[in-house]
C-alpha cells in the first residue's frame, strides 16, 4: 500500500475482518484496491492466546493452500468467522472439526458414511476409510489400529453426529474419529505439504502434554 492507503497498513493484521472497495481495470481484468477498513468491532488478535492462535493460523493455511477458485464462498467465510469467535472463547477441537467439515464440503469432498454402492454399512462389520473410495470392508490381514477403521454401528453414529452442529460436540471419541477422517482427506488434498501451524501445534502439545486440536 502507498499514498493515501498507507494509513490502512495498521488494519492488515491476521484475523482482522476487512471491508474492501475494489475496482476492475479495463483490459487487464485485474482488481485494484481503492479503500479498506475494519469490518465490525471484533478484535480477534487480542483475544486469541496459545494454543487458539495456532489453531486460527491453521484455518488460514487451509484456506490459502486449498481454496483456489476465484469465487465468493459466503457460507465458508461465515464458518471461518464463527470458528474464530469460538476459538477466542477457548475451545479448539470441536470448532476445528466443524470448520474442516464445511471446507471439505465446499471443495466437493464431504464425508459420506454410506458404502461406495450407496448401501448402509452392516452394524457388526469392520470398515476402512479410503480417501479415494470411501468406506469399504476391511480386508483379511489389514491393520485396524490406525484410526481409520470403524464398525458399521460407529459409522451410523458418526453420520448422525455430523448431521448436527459439530461446533458444540463434546464426545471425545467422535472428535478423535473425525480428526482422523477429515485429516486424511486434507492430507491428500495438500499432497505432501506440511502446514507450519500443525508442526507448531505438535510442539505445543509435546510441551504442555494435552491434546488441543
Amino acid at each position: 500500500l502507498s499514498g493515501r492507503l498507507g494509513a490502512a497498513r495498521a488494519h492488515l493484521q491476521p484475523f482482522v475482518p476487512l471491508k474492501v472497495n475494489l475496482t476492475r481495470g479495463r483490459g487487464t481484468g485485474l482488481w485494484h484496491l481503492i479503500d479498506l477498513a475494519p469490518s465490525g468491532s471484533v478484535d480477534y488478535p487480542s483475544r486469541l492466546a496459545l494454543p487458539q492462535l495456532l489453531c486460527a493460523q491453521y484455518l488460514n493455511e487451509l484456506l490459502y493452500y486449498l481454496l483456489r477458485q476465484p469465487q465468493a464462498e459466503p457460507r465458508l467465510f461465515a464458518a471461518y468467522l464463527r470458528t474464530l469467535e469460538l476459538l477466542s472463547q477457548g475451545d479448539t477441537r470441536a470448532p476445528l472439526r466443524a470448520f474442516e467439515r464445511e471446507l471439505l464440503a465446499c471443495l466437493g469432498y464431504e464425508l459420506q458414511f454410506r458404502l461406495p454402492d450407496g448401501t448402509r454399512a452392516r452394524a457388526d462389520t469392520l470398515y476402512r476409510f479410503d480417501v479415494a473410495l470411501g468406506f469399504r470392508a476391511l480386508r483379511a490381514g489389514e491393520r485396524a489400529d490406525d484410526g481409520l477403521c470403524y464398525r458399521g454401528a460407529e459409522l451410523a453414529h458418526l453420520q448422525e453426529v455430523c448431521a448436527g452442529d459439530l461446533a458444540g460436540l463434546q464426545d471425545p471419541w467422535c472428535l478423535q474419529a473425525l480428526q482422523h477422517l477429515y485429516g486424511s482427506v486434507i492430507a491428500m488434498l495438500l499432497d505432501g505439504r506440511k502446514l507450519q501451524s500443525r508442526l507448531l501445534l505438535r510442539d505445543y502439545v509435546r510441551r504442555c502434554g494435552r491434546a488441543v486440536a
Side-chain angles (χ1 to χ4, degrees), residues 99-171:
F99 180 80
E100 289 168 346
R101 177 184 62 180
E102 196 65 44
L103 175 62
L104 292 178
C106 174
L107 296 173
Y109 287 90
E110 185 174 6
L111 208 60
Q112 302 295 327
F113 292 95
R114 289 179 177 268
L115 304 185
D117 62 3
T119 60
R120 294 180 180 274
R122 294 179 179 273
D124 58 349
T125 299
L126 199 58
Y127 296 89
R128 167 176 288 282
F129 179 66
D130 185 303
V131 174
L133 301 174
F135 290 97
R136 57 170 178 78
L138 193 70
R139 301 190 184 104
E142 278 192 296
R143 293 181 56 186
D145 60 351
D146 59 356
L148 295 176
C149 293
Y150 303 91
R151 297 196 177 278
E154 293 174 326
L155 295 183
H157 179 56
L158 285 173
Q159 182 178 26
E160 182 178 351
V161 167
C162 287
D165 183 9
L166 290 184
L169 183 62
Q170 298 297 321
D171 185 328

